[in-house]
Amino acid sequence: MIKSLHKRESALANSKRQLEILSNGIFQYGDLPTFKNKIAETGQFPLKAKKLEILQINVGYMCNQVCAHCHVDAGPDRKEIMSKETMEQCLEVIKNTEAHTLDLTGGAPEMNPNFRWFVEEAAKVGIKDFIVRSNLTIIKANKKYHDLPEFFKKYNIHVVSSMPHWTRGKTDKQRGEGVFNTSIEALKMLNSVGYGMPNSPLRLDLVYNPSGAFLPGNQASMEMDFKKALKEDFDIQFHNLFAITNLPISRFLDYLIASENYEDYMYELVEAYNPAAVENVMCTNTLSVSWDGYLYDCDFNQMLELPINGKTKHISEYNETLLEGRDIVISQHCYGCTAGAGSSCQGTVA
Ligand code: SF4
Ligand code: SF4
């Protein structure tokens, strides 16, 4: 198992170093336009937050996996976990927000010792779409997680899970040896309680992200390929596939630099820039809360430690009205959200 950038004490574990790389070189000398200048060409700068629709809460960076391209730099060695006190502050906001979607992420959110309590409390509020981003293997990682499918079902959780490919080789290469087989077993467990079945209200969606320095293909045709292969090979069903572009931050940035693909990848992202995708990038209707309660425009900005541009900085001083209309904090990593059909936690946006 590889180690997180933090554990390896890599220079890239420092978000400032990542931001320097994203601002220097090809962007500093004008070979490529900065994201700010690019969106200004079509009158889309500054990027403004609209009405909040999705509240995304990161309950900790601890994970049972150490995927090669993880933008969180998550792993078993990460100890940042949301406290019960911060969860209580989040619950106050969940009760009062007009957002229709609550999205719990990590790391592996299930590894937070207060995860189940938090889900039970948050579910009482009755938010329309309650998402948990589960990496699948956690369900099989330890006996205490084996009942997660039943637990998710009890609270009508919408499960969203990464599955980079329908073949063992490509999945294990990105997510670690043995991840494919364990993910298949976990998907079968989810299917067996009703998740992902046609017409079932128990939503099971999968997330695809490319295994190298290239952009995802067409989301709809990939969904068909995934559905066909998983049904034929394993009798597994799911609802939708979200195709996500890897953003050049954290472990994917480390991979791009180590494989000498960084500049080519940035050229590819800029060439695929789609102004129509800018309108719907997820930061315009989403707010991200970190494990220690700070507010960010998105999970990527959270990992780059780019705090929100607003009067309220922490969940304890949350004010939805003050956050609406704020200027979104951007940098060159944002090109990952606007390439081709665009990319967000919910897949393509344009
Ligand atoms: S499962 Fe998710 S959070 Fe965990 S290392 Fe992989 S990509 Fe990161
Ligand atoms: S990286 Fe975050 S801030 Fe930048 S465009 Fe994407 S969602 Fe918005």
Side-chain angles (χ1 to χ4, degrees):
M1 197 182 257
I2 62 163
K3 292 190 175 115
S4 70
L5 296 172
H6 275 77
K7 186 73 179 174
R8 280 183 261 157
E9 295 181 2
S10 159
L12 282 183
N14 185 335
S15 60
K16 287 198 178 66
R17 179 68 195 126
Q18 295 182 48
L19 287 165
E20 271 169 25
I21 291 167
L22 289 166
S23 298
N24 292 345
I26 39 181
F27 292 102
Q28 188 178 16
Y29 300 115
D31 303 76
L32 289 176
T34 60
F35 189 73
K36 177 184 170 184
N37 288 345
K38 193 72 183 170
I39 64 173
E41 283 172 14
T42 40
Q44 289 165 298
F45 179 80
L47 198 53
K48 293 273 187 190
K50 302 176 203 160
K51 188 168 172 45
L52 182 75
E53 294 183 57
I54 303 170
L55 185 65
Q56 186 173 62
I57 301 178
N58 193 316
V59 297
Y61 302 160
M62 188 180 282
C63 190
N64 59 315
Q65 291 184 189
V66 197
C67 305
H69 301 160
C70 180
H71 75 272
V72 179
D73 192 27
D77 53 64
R78 297 301 300 268
K79 306 298 177 210
E80 300 91 335
I81 284 283
M82 184 175 275
S83 67
K84 199 165 181 183
E85 188 192 354
T86 307
M87 285 179 167
E88 276 162 355
Q89 292 169 344
C90 290
L91 283 169
E92 274 312 300
V93 172
I94 294 164
K95 279 179 203 155
N96 296 312
T97 181
E98 289 178 19
H100 55 64
T101 300
L102 175 64
D103 186 339
L104 297 194
T105 188
E110 302 93 331
M111 290 180 85
N112 184 308
N114 294 308
F115 168 75
R116 292 193 192 218
W117 169 82
F118 190 43
V119 167
E120 284 162 18
E121 292 302 309
K124 286 180 193 163
V125 179
I127 282 200
K128 203 169 146 206
D129 189 10
F130 190 171
I131 296 172
V132 170
R133 292 184 186 265
S134 176
N135 69 16
L136 295 174
T137 61
I138 191 69
I139 296 173
K140 297 288 293 177
N142 185 301
K143 223 171 158 184
K144 67 181 176 187
Y145 299 123
H146 287 0
D147 67 336
L148 276 170
E150 291 288 355
F151 176 78
F152 291 147
K153 179 178 179 174
K154 184 172 175 194
Y155 294 100
N156 195 24
I157 299 298
H158 172 178
V159 177
V160 178
S161 296
S162 278
M163 189 75 188
H165 208 257
W166 63 82
T167 59
R168 182 173 295 110
K170 284 192 174 159
T171 299
D172 284 0
K173 185 169 170 245
Q174 187 185 123
R175 293 175 79 76
E177 194 66 32
V179 166
F180 181 79
N181 285 351
T182 312
S183 300
I184 292 294
E185 287 172 32
L187 284 169
K188 285 185 175 172
M189 287 166 75
L190 286 161
N191 274 178
S192 72
V193 300
Y195 269 101
M197 305 311 279
N199 304 319
S200 168
L202 297 169
R203 306 279 321 159
L204 173 62
D205 296 325
L206 298 184
V207 177
Y208 160 89
N209 64 304
S211 54
F214 55 91
L215 303 185
N218 176 275
Q219 181 167 280
S221 59
M222 268 195 297
E223 181 178 288
M224 281 197 292
D225 292 344
F226 264 76
K227 283 195 165 169
K228 188 168 179 288
L230 288 178
K231 178 81 181 116
E232 282 178 9
D233 296 349
F234 304 103
D235 198 24
I236 283 171
Q237 305 198 67
F238 66 96
H239 290 128
N240 293 112
L241 180 84
F242 302 145
I244 289 186
T245 302
N246 288 313
L247 262 68
I249 68 169
S250 195
R251 293 213 285 263
F252 190 64
L253 179 60
D254 182 55
Y255 157 79
L256 288 174
I257 293 169
S259 61
E260 299 184 358
N261 276 305
Y262 169 69
E263 289 198 0
D264 286 350
Y265 190 70
M266 294 312 292
Y267 269 91
E268 199 177 349
L269 288 183
V270 176
E271 271 163 29
Y273 173 75
N274 175 5
V278 178
E279 286 302 309
N280 296 315
V281 281
M282 66 180 171
C283 49
T284 56
N285 70 352
T286 305
L287 195 65
S288 158
V289 186
S290 64
W291 66 276
D292 50 359
Y294 285 91
L295 306 178
Y296 298 85
D297 293 310
C298 69
D299 208 42
F300 306 112
N301 281 8
Q302 182 186 141
M303 301 316 150
L304 288 172
E305 296 177 277
L306 291 171
I308 208 157
N309 190 353
K311 288 201 177 84
T312 60
K313 299 277 187 201
H314 193 267
I315 194 78
S316 57
E317 56 197 30
Y318 186 85
N319 182 322
E320 209 150 304
T321 316
L322 286 180
L323 289 166
E324 202 172 317
R326 71 185 185 277
D327 291 356
I328 306 283
V329 180
I330 54 170
S331 183
Q332 283 50 264
H333 64 294
C334 297
Y335 275 117
C337 293
T338 57
S343 179
S344 76
C345 284
Q346 314 291 329
T348 59
V349 297

